Each structure stands twice: as structure tokens, then as C-alpha cells.
Amino acid sequence: MQYDKVNWQNQEKTKINSFVNDFIIKEIILKKKGSNVKIFDIGFGIGFFLWMLEKNLPKSFKDITLEGCEPSYKNYKYFKQKPFDFKKIKLRTFNNTFLETKTEVKFDFLTAVYVFPHFEFDELEETAEKINGMLNGNGKFILVVANEKYLKEKLKAKKDLFIEENTIKFNGKDHQEILHYSEVPQIGTIIDYNREEKFYVELFKEKGFNLESKIDLDDSGFICTVFVFGKN
Ligand SMILES: C[S@@+](CC[C@H](N)C(=O)[O-])C[C@H]1O[C@@H](n2cnc3c(N)ncnc32)[C@H](O)[C@@H]1O
């Protein structure tokens, strides 16, 4: 597990991903109507997004359920050692990969912030089916990955980050998949799969979703893409 070897706990200092997390909370989650909300965060790392939810949701919702999974024991343990407001929020966490995680709850939102680049191509269909099964009828899946064009430019400029390129076949169409290093400031170097945007749109369409919106966000020069998929 590559995350046992990097210092993801330094996210508490660098606040990396807080910009995109903030966008997801304010522009998507807080727009949900009603007094209850149920969210599952896939690959929660040290729980940075869960803490942001803990801080922001109780102002808008009375009945809050948060669940999430994180396979790195180092990250998982770091989150579990910190205080959390169990009076306001029902929390359940799993020290497992997403496909190993078992929960009966149906969620309003599932989120995956920079986690899909770690999934192997051959687990993506099962992953998308599982996400569909865990969402309620109006549920949404929020997927965040590095922006395709931004990453291509970066790999052109820094050739030593490139590892290999593959063609992945889905529904009779070919898509490009690039394996590369990502240098995360003050955290370490990780290995990611970057797949074409059109592949993710195709995958989730096939598994019963439609693409509701796709937003590019510039966080101090790093550009990501946020996909919001709703169930059909
Ligand atoms: C780039 S980090 C992002 C962490 C967190 N989502 C955030 O935004 O701070 C990717 C995380 O995905 C987790 N991960 C890797 N493979 C996974 C899998 N199969 N299921 C769930 N999480 C996974 C890693 O352990 C790591 O914590």
C-alpha cells in the first residue's frame, strides 16, 4: 500500500484538497433539501473531507450520517486517533478497500476525491455498479480527478513523471490510460492512473448514471475536474 509510505498526515498542514472539498460542500451537498443527509467518502485518507463535513453540515442538517473507507492503516489510524463530534454526526468507518466494504445504508452522496486514479481498470465496472447500489433514488456520485488537459501538459513538461501508456477498451471503444508519478508537496510521490474523461462518462452511463455536470477547478495552478453523476 503506497499510502503507508508517504506522509499524507501533512495534509493537515498544507490543506491540500480543501479548495475542491469546499466546492463540493457548498455547491453540491448543502444544496440538498431536507433536514437529513447521508454521505459515503471513498478512500478518505486521513479524513480531511470528513472533518470539513463535520464542521459545515450541522448548520444545515439535523440528522447526519457519514461513512467512509480507507485501506491504508496508517491513514485510517491517524483519523481514528483524532476527536470527532459523535453527538451531532453518526459516523462509521472501514479500514478496507471500497470493494471490500459492506454497508446496508443508502446514501445521498458518494464522493471519491483523487481515489479513482488508484483503481485498476479491471475493478472499475464492479466499483461503478457498487456505487449505484449504495445510492438512493436521487443520489449523486461526485468524482474528482486531475484535469486531463492539465495533466497532459504537465507530463509533456516533466517527462520523468511518465511511466507507461495503455489503451483500455470499454463498450467497443478505445480510451487512453497513462500511468504516472504525482509529486504531492510535503506529502510524497504517488503513482496514479490518468484516464480520459470520456471513458468515465461512458463507464457511468453504462452503469445507470447520467452526467449532471462537469466542472474544472483551478486550485492555485493545479486543475482538477469534478464530475457529478446522478442516477437514471
Ligand atoms: C490521493 S489520496 C486522497 C485521500 C482523500 N480522498 C483526500 O482527498 O484527502 C487517495 C486515497 O485513496 C486510498 N485508496 C487507494 N486504493 C483504494 C481502494 N481500492 N479503495 C478505497 N480507497 C483507496 C488511498 O489509501 C489514499 O488514502
Side-chain angles (χ1 to χ4, degrees):
M1 166 42 79
Q2 54 172 335
Y3 280 87
D4 288 337
K5 298 188 192 99
V6 295
N7 298 313
W8 204 263
Q9 68 277 10
N10 283 348
Q11 184 178 25
E12 277 212 85
K13 282 189 238 152
T14 66
K15 314 270 186 243
I16 192 165
N17 300 351
S18 58
F19 185 81
V20 61
N21 290 349
D22 209 49
F23 175 88
I24 295 170
I25 293 171
K26 298 210 170 105
E27 301 302 324
I28 306 169
I29 295 177
L30 291 183
K31 300 244 155 108
K32 181 195 171 287
K33 301 211 166 61
S35 60
N36 62 308
V37 68
K38 293 188 172 72
I39 305 167
F40 188 100
D41 189 28
I42 303 174
F44 62 74
I46 60 162
F48 197 70
F49 185 53
L50 297 175
W51 288 319
M52 288 180 72
L53 292 168
E54 178 202 33
K55 209 189 288 163
N56 286 282
L57 297 185
K59 290 173 234 156
S60 302
F61 300 103
K62 273 202 194 105
D63 184 1
I64 304 165
T65 299
L66 296 185
E67 295 196 9
C69 65
E70 171 49 49
S72 153
Y73 183 61
K74 186 180 172 191
N75 283 348
Y76 181 82
K77 198 172 64 180
Y78 189 86
F79 174 69
K80 296 300 272 185
Q81 282 167 353
K82 292 266 183 173
F84 197 87
D85 192 348
F86 293 101
K87 272 187 245 122
K88 290 194 180 137
I89 294 173
K90 287 179 220 115
L91 176 76
R92 190 172 176 212
T93 52
F94 304 83
N95 182 206
N96 286 134
T97 66
F98 180 60
L99 288 180
E100 287 165 350
T101 298
K102 289 188 178 70
T103 173
E104 299 309 316
V105 177
K106 298 286 178 196
F107 295 90
D108 303 301
F109 300 99
L110 260 78
T111 51
V113 180
Y114 299 119
V115 176
F116 267 54
H118 298 313
F119 289 143
E120 303 278 334
F121 171 65
D122 61 11
E123 57 189 338
L124 289 175
E125 281 199 64
E126 194 182 340
T127 300
E129 284 161 15
K130 185 169 171 129
I131 291 170
N132 193 315
M134 284 169 66
L135 283 169
N136 66 34
N138 299 316
K140 293 184 198 306
F141 171 53
I142 302 162
L143 170 69
V144 180
V145 295
N147 176 265
E148 179 184 311
K149 276 200 205 108
Y150 163 80
L151 204 89
K152 272 196 184 146
E153 290 303 313
K154 190 159 190 160
L155 291 175
K156 241 192 252 164
K158 284 199 87 180
K159 296 223 166 13
D160 53 335
L161 296 180
F162 175 86
I163 302 174
E164 64 177 37
E165 183 182 329
N166 302 305
T167 300
I168 51 181
K169 282 193 189 300
F170 187 71
N171 266 356
K173 291 184 194 135
D174 286 351
H175 304 274
Q176 188 193 45
E177 180 189 75
I178 297 173
L179 188 64
H180 65 93
Y181 294 106
S182 290
E183 295 163 328
V184 190
Q186 295 188 53
I187 287 179
T189 299
I190 51 178
I191 297 176
D192 284 333
Y193 284 109
N194 181 263
R195 305 182 177 101
E196 286 183 276
E197 286 178 5
K198 65 178 174 62
F199 163 70
Y200 285 122
V201 175
E202 189 87 25
L203 172 71
F204 283 96
K205 202 168 125 196
E206 175 70 24
K207 301 299 173 187
F209 291 87
N210 57 57
L211 179 65
E212 291 187 353
S213 55
K214 184 168 79 68
I215 309 110
D216 292 343
L217 288 183
D218 184 337
D219 181 5
S220 320
F222 181 91
I223 304 174
C224 70
T225 302
V226 181
F227 299 82
V228 182
F229 292 102
K231 288 218 317 185
N232 280 335

